[in-house]
Amino acid sequence: MEQLPHVIQPETYEMKEDISLKGKWNEVFFKNDNPIILELGCGKGEYSVALAERYPEKNFIGVDIKGNRMWVGAQDSFENKMKNIAFLRIRIENIIKCFSENEVSEIWITFPDPQIKRRRTNKRLTHPHFLERYRCFLKKEGIINLKTDSQFLYGFTLGIIEGEGHELLDCTNDLYGVHQIRENMDIKTHYEKLFLEKNMPITYTKFRLKY
Ligand SMILES: C[S@@+](CC[C@H](N)C(=O)[O-])C[C@H]1O[C@@H](n2cnc3c(N)ncnc32)[C@H](O)[C@@H]1O
């Protein structure tokens, strides 16, 4: 991982300071003005890699804390000489130390741990504490996409969207059980494949934060 030029691993777990790339991803790292899209909890980074191949005019950053998983997508994209993808190894709790206001255009959250236990509520990646962090760097018109097998997290997220007055753009509790064709849903992550093998319906939510 340390030898891969597109893997950024800030030194400390607690991250007391902002990273030097904060506010400068386009200028210093990607060297273009293209929109930046994040995949939070990217695991092996399947969504980031597939979207980066599909959209060379956009920049993608996979974010996760687990290096062994991230290495798969990092190595794959390095071997394929992809220039519009990076991987950031941090705890998502520290994400505002990595991006500045209006720096990000879109967020994908792919199969996060639903954190069902009540005492873990604020660890859910669509909890208002996280949405407040995303607001610090997501453009006003920016979109958040959540794909999950968890009907619990799906319902929780819809409740947050409604309760906080965010703008729901699309949702389904059975993505492949309906005939509506949605863009980019053919990309399947490692966890999605496991859930599909068990015939579990996949949910999808797309929304915009209230400003
Ligand atoms: C269930 S896995 C899903 C991985 C991948 N998106 C997929 O669909 O195959 C959840 C991932 O989120 C990461 N994760 C969970 N909470 C995190 C946090 N607070 N900060 C960084 N990564 C986190 C885990 O390390 C793990 O790789």
Side-chain angles (χ1 to χ4, degrees), residues 39 41-43 46 64-66 69 90-93 110-111 189-191:
E39 182 188 4
C42 68
E46 292 93 342
D64 205 296
I65 190 63
K66 291 195 179 148
R69 291 188 180 170
I90 56 157
R91 293 174 70 227
I92 297 161
E93 285 78 353
T110 50
F111 300 88
T189 68
H190 174 68
Y191 272 83

Side-chain angles (χ1 to χ4, degrees), residues 22 35 71 119:
K22 178 174 174 173
W71 182 84
R119 66 184 161 81

Side-chain angles (χ1 to χ4, degrees), residues 124-167:
R124 297 174 196 149
L125 293 183
T126 52
H127 185 279
H129 288 172
F130 277 101
L131 299 185
E132 276 315 304
R133 289 181 175 104
Y134 307 156
R135 188 197 299 282
C136 296
F137 54 77
L138 193 58
K139 288 181 195 285
K140 254 190 180 169
E141 67 282 9
I143 285 170
I144 303 178
N145 303 276
L146 168 70
K147 234 179 154 187
T148 175
D149 61 296
S150 169
Q151 297 288 335
F152 170 80
L153 186 66
Y154 175 67
F156 171 81
T157 304
L158 288 180
I160 298 294
I161 293 170
E162 165 131 19
E164 294 209 312
H166 303 304
E167 185 185 356

Side-chain angles (χ1 to χ4, degrees), residues 113-124 127 150 152-153 156:
D113 186 331
Q115 306 284 7
I116 287 173
K117 287 190 182 144
R118 193 175 161 77
R119 66 184 161 81
R120 307 277 300 172
T121 305
N122 57 16
K123 301 274 179 200
R124 297 174 196 149
H127 185 279
S150 169
F152 170 80
L153 186 66
F156 171 81

Side-chain angles (χ1 to χ4, degrees), residues 60-100:
F60 294 85
I61 305 174
V63 181
D64 205 296
I65 190 63
K66 291 195 179 148
N68 56 343
R69 291 188 180 170
M70 178 180 279
W71 182 84
V72 177
Q75 183 67 17
D76 189 22
S77 49
F78 180 70
E79 281 171 6
N80 288 319
K81 300 185 171 49
M82 295 170 68
K83 297 285 174 229
N84 63 331
I85 187 164
F87 288 87
L88 176 63
R89 187 175 174 193
I90 56 157
R91 293 174 70 227
I92 297 161
E93 285 78 353
N94 291 322
I95 198 150
I96 58 172
K97 300 196 171 88
C98 302
F99 298 97
S100 283

Side-chain angles (χ1 to χ4, degrees), residues 51-66:
L51 289 174
E53 279 170 349
R54 214 167 267 191
Y55 300 101
E57 73 288 4
K58 295 180 181 177
N59 299 322
F60 294 85
I61 305 174
V63 181
D64 205 296
I65 190 63
K66 291 195 179 148

